[in-house]
């Protein structure tokens, strides 16, 4: 059922996400209309499940400083927060209200912390190097790749863990 989002004033619909081991169910608001960051894409579901899986030791995520780039709806970062991480979810300015809404809707489930902010790739806007960088399906437009690489270069070091999940697909050029 379509509803108007209080933060974005757009028609929205919800998606539920059940966590494997935490017995938690996140509710993610998505927009009916918008560009690539308005819905939960399959790669976000895959990366979120990967974070929950037993690839990581118990309590691995607790107190980790995590940065999600191109967060869109924020599902992946919210799952990290539910696992105990301190997460900064970032995206373009027009998507931050949707991120903030999803953080607010799920705040009771988050064991770490979760905040949203604007980050345009090509710089870091003064961000500190995190322990982990999460990225899911964040390069749809080829012209975004170089600025993303610049940001990753500035936000990583020899101790960084960067996790990327994407779905290969045909792309077009960004509409002007």
């Amino acid at each position: 059922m379509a509803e108007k989002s209080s933060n974005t004033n757009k028609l929205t619909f919800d998606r539920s996400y059940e966590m494997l081991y935490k017995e938690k169910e996140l509710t993610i608001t998505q927009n009916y209309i918008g560009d690539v960051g308005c819905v939960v894409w399959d790669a976000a579901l895959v990366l979120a499940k990967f974070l929950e899986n037993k690839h990581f030791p118990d309590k691995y995520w607790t107190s980790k400083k995590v940065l999600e780039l191109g967060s869109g709806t924020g599902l992946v970062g919210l799952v990290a927060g539910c696992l105990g991480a301190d997460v900064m979810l970032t995206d373009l300015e027009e998507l931050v209200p949707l991120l903030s809404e999803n953080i607010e809707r799920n705040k009771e489930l988050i064991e770490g912390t979760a905040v949203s902010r604007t980050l345009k790739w090509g710089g870091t806007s003064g961000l500190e190097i995190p322990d982990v960088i999460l990225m899911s399906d964040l390069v749809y437009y080829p012209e975004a790749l170089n600025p993303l690489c610049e940001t990753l270069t500035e936000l990583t070091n020899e101790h960084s863990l960067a996790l990327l999940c994407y779905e290969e697909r045909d792309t077009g050029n960004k509409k002007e």
Side-chain angles (χ1 to χ4, degrees):
M1 176 166 82
E3 296 180 15
K4 280 243 182 185
S5 167
S6 60
N7 287 332
T8 61
N9 201 28
K10 294 181 179 181
L11 287 177
T12 63
F13 62 104
D14 292 338
R15 179 173 194 143
S16 294
Y17 175 86
E18 290 183 38
M19 293 187 69
L20 293 171
Y21 304 110
K22 288 285 190 173
E23 296 183 18
K24 295 180 180 184
E25 185 172 324
L26 294 157
T27 302
I28 304 297
T29 298
Q30 304 176 98
N31 291 335
Y32 274 107
I33 299 171
D35 202 12
V36 294
C38 297
V39 297
V40 175
W41 297 95
D42 290 345
L45 295 169
V46 171
L47 185 53
K49 290 297 179 194
F50 182 78
L51 299 184
E52 289 185 77
N53 206 307
K54 297 301 179 183
H55 294 290
F56 301 98
D58 285 343
K59 306 288 185 188
Y60 174 82
W61 295 102
T62 303
S63 300
K64 289 281 190 208
K65 302 296 181 215
V66 175
L67 174 67
E68 184 181 14
L69 297 176
S71 301
T73 61
L75 173 66
V76 177
L78 288 169
V79 167
C82 288
L83 294 169
D86 296 322
V87 185
M88 179 172 295
L89 299 96
T90 65
D91 214 312
L92 297 173
E93 183 176 0
E94 60 268 19
L95 291 169
V96 171
L98 181 60
L99 282 172
S100 298
E101 179 173 343
N102 283 325
I103 290 169
E104 181 65 26
R105 288 190 79 179
N106 294 286
K107 68 182 175 185
E108 300 300 321
L109 303 174
I110 297 169
E111 294 179 17
T113 62
V115 296
S116 61
R117 79 176 266 189
T118 300
L119 179 63
K120 185 175 180 182
W121 301 338
T124 63
S125 299
L127 293 175
E128 293 181 15
I129 294 176
D131 300 314
V132 180
I133 297 178
L134 302 173
M135 302 166 281
S136 67
D137 239 359
L138 72 167
V139 180
Y140 182 75
Y141 299 116
E143 56 270 19
L145 191 55
N146 284 337
L148 171 62
C149 289
E150 290 172 24
T151 297
L152 282 171
T153 299
E154 291 181 38
L155 288 173
T156 55
N157 61 28
E158 65 275 7
H159 304 291
S160 300
L161 173 63
L163 299 173
L164 167 67
C165 185
Y166 76 101
E167 177 180 348
E168 189 173 354
R169 57 174 62 90
D170 292 333
T171 63
N173 291 325
K174 185 169 173 71
K175 300 171 198 148
E176 298 297 327

